Amino acid sequence: MNSELTIPTLGYGTAGLQIEGVPLAEIASRFGTPVFVYSLGAMTAAFNAYRNALTRHKAQVFYAVKANANLGVLSAFARMGSGFDIVSGGELTRVIAAGGHASKVVFSGVGKSSQEMRQALDAGIRCFNVESRSELERLNRVAGETCKAAPIALRVNPDVDPKTHPYISTGLRNNKFGVAFNEALALYRLAASLPNVKVSGIACHIGSQLVDSAPIVEAAEKLLGLVNQLSAEGMALDHIDLGGGLGIRYQDETPPDTADYLAPVLRVFEGRHEELCFEPGRSLIGNAGLLLTRIEYLKPGAEKSFAIVDAAMNDLARPALYDAYHEVVAVTPRDDKPQRYEIVGPICESGDFLAHDRALAVREGDLLALLSAGAYGMTMSSNYNTRPRAAEVIVNGDQLHLVRAREPIESLFALESLLPET
Ligand code: LLP
């Protein structure tokens, strides 16, 4: 296996690039392209890295469903013992459909509707991560109507700089997320006085794609200060939720491995009784997945040459949205001299690019793999240009499981109708 490739179970064999025991060319010919391919072995290894790092403290992992919500993926994590971090009623429905237990679900997000609160209360979730006074008051009301007590944590905003892309940093004072740190104590006092909520924990999530432990350690220390103040007032918490955020290597980033990232955080809470909760998404699935696409056309140009592939920004939005980098590798190595290409899709927008200026020895009809696409790939995809969403496949050893079929075109407008004739 090639150590340069970010997916641990990916490497070149006699039939070109293969994931676990299966050549990507075989996956393309069986299921067509574009197709997302995930390695169960890589997912399991990523989950076990958390499990092994957390053996010495009471702890629970809540996989962040938004990273990849496929039922096959969710069922795999549920069987590994994961809980789930959700941000909508839709994600809760998926978790239950995938065999997850509501008692291992935490509900994050700044805009929970009353309907979503009712759904989560009926299901019996573990905790609502409440993000504002208004939400707390609404949850108390909704819980009262359903005659249930809602378990809550306040998501506090510790005001630390996670030093990541501005679109995915969430723990700064000027972000929309969480309760301001200096308002949290007053809000906890309010929560303790409300009849239909039960104070259960504290939560934070400072950002995503963190490549260093320092910001999360700073956040953990701030949280601990607040936890001590709360317990001095008789509010004992049963858990402390530190969110997700551990980054992965897309290009030349050097994030700590899971154990090294968590070790200094665990040190902050040494000897504490509260359960420690984590909500990782990207670090569990990002480097377990790739997007497999076929080159339709090579279009040489005076200044730039284009490799026009059958995947596009609707399948993988991250490059267009964040200027994100995904490694692009040829599935079948060739001895031809590499040329530099813009990797672009068929969508009618100049923003429809997947990668810039990559040296590749490829021909029309060849397959390319866009790596590190397991997280925030499929979940952020769309049907723009009436393009059916890609299929999804999980590889387990030499077994292939189609966990989402390619969408039939008719399904894209099945809910639409013509105007009546006048
Ligand atoms: N918990 C909460 C409350 C979150 O908002 C997030 C991610 C997570 C956990 C999981 O974070 P992770 O471990 O995956 O970093 N679409 C962007 C990423 C957005 C992340 C949003 N929140 C991207 O493609 O990079």
Side-chain angles (χ1 to χ4, degrees):
M1 296 278 163
N2 183 339
S3 63
E4 291 304 302
L5 301 173
T6 50
I7 297 180
T9 51
L10 190 69
Y12 283 98
T14 46
L17 201 56
Q18 63 180 60
I19 188 162
E20 300 203 11
V22 185
L24 291 177
E26 183 187 324
I27 297 176
S29 69
R30 264 184 72 182
F31 302 109
T33 51
V35 56
F36 283 97
V37 184
Y38 313 118
S39 157
L40 183 62
M43 288 163 56
T44 309
F47 187 81
N48 284 341
Y50 274 91
R51 196 195 328 249
N52 296 340
L54 294 172
T55 47
R56 290 184 48 227
H57 207 293
K58 191 174 172 215
Q60 176 67 49
V61 170
F62 296 85
Y63 167 66
V65 175
K66 65 168 80 69
N68 187 320
N70 182 283
L71 292 197
V73 170
L74 298 183
S75 67
F77 285 128
R79 285 172 206 164
M80 291 178 217
S82 187
F84 297 94
D85 166 47
I86 59 161
V87 288
S88 70
E91 287 189 350
L92 177 55
T93 306
R94 274 183 180 275
V95 166
I96 305 293
H101 291 289
S103 60
K104 281 195 189 172
V105 167
V106 295
F107 193 169
S108 303
V110 291
K112 302 175 192 78
S113 70
S114 302
Q115 160 64 26
E116 288 175 319
M117 289 173 174
R118 268 190 289 276
Q119 181 191 350
L121 284 163
D122 287 344
I125 65 163
R126 161 89 188 258
C127 193
F128 290 84
N129 290 348
V130 171
E131 303 220 14
S132 65
R133 173 182 291 261
S134 297
E135 184 192 333
L136 181 64
E137 287 167 348
R138 188 193 292 194
L139 181 59
N140 180 56
R141 205 165 52 243
V142 173
E145 286 159 15
T146 55
C147 301
K148 295 201 168 81
I152 65 126
L154 288 187
R155 174 172 172 185
V156 299
N157 188 333
D159 192 24
V160 300
D161 185 353
K163 303 194 172 60
T164 183
H165 191 287
Y167 284 13
I168 52 177
S169 101
T170 45
L172 277 167
R173 202 169 28 211
N174 58 4
N175 288 130
K176 71 176 175 183
F177 299 99
V179 172
F181 196 77
N182 55 9
E183 290 165 21
L185 196 54
L187 216 52
Y188 266 108
R189 289 182 187 133
L190 172 64
S193 75
L194 295 174
N196 307 310
V197 303
K198 181 181 171 306
V199 173
S200 154
I202 190 165
C204 77
H205 169 79
I206 60 170
S208 200
Q209 185 56 13
L210 312 181
V211 291
D212 180 2
S213 292
I216 189 71
V217 171
E218 191 186 335
E221 282 164 350
K222 284 192 158 182
L223 246 56
L224 185 58
L226 200 51
V227 172
N228 285 332
Q229 273 178 295
L230 291 170
S231 84
E233 296 201 9
M235 277 182 269
L237 305 183
D238 62 41
H239 71 272
I240 300 172
D241 180 343
L242 293 149
L246 173 58
I248 61 171
R249 186 157 75 86
Y250 286 97
Q251 184 178 13
D252 49 12
E253 304 91 334
T254 51
D257 69 25
T258 304
D260 291 340
Y261 176 76
L262 292 177
V265 180
L266 295 175
R267 269 199 295 280
V268 173
F269 297 106
E270 213 160 83
R272 307 283 313 187
H273 72 278
E274 296 89 352
E275 182 171 28
L276 295 182
C277 302
F278 295 91
E279 305 169 354
R282 191 188 317 263
S283 53
L284 287 181
I285 186 75
N287 270 341
L290 58 83
L291 174 59
L292 185 59
T293 182
R294 196 177 287 284
I295 300 175
E296 296 279 9
Y297 302 102
L298 291 177
K299 192 171 173 183
E303 299 205 348
K304 283 183 174 173
S305 295
F306 296 90
I308 302 169
V309 299
D310 63 6
M313 65 188 286
N314 75 297
D315 300 300
L316 185 63
R318 303 188 72 258
L321 199 56
Y322 315 120
D323 216 7
Y325 182 99
H326 287 265
E327 197 64 68
V328 181
V329 290
V331 169
T332 310
R334 294 189 180 279
D335 291 333
D336 309 1
K337 184 167 174 285
Q339 311 279 330
R340 304 203 78 86
Y341 292 104
E342 296 289 301
I343 316 296
V344 300
I347 284 182
C348 301
E349 297 223 20
S350 300
D352 180 26
F353 61 85
L354 297 170
H356 293 302
D357 197 27
R358 302 300 171 86
L360 291 166
V362 287
R363 300 183 193 166
E364 290 184 356
D366 280 5
L367 292 167
L368 296 178
L370 282 105
L371 306 188
S372 314
Y376 307 108
M378 186 63 170
T379 45
M380 293 176 70
S381 67
S382 78
N383 292 118
Y384 190 35
N385 280 205
T386 305
R387 289 170 51 82
R389 255 174 271 242
E392 292 176 289
V393 169
I394 294 184
V395 183
N396 179 15
D398 57 6
Q399 308 252 313
L400 291 178
H401 303 282
L402 179 67
V403 287
R404 183 180 166 110
R406 192 175 306 287
E407 284 174 322
I409 299 287
E410 294 70 26
S411 75
L412 305 190
F413 51 83
L415 300 176
E416 301 172 21
S417 53
L418 306 184
L419 271 184
E421 304 223 11
T422 48

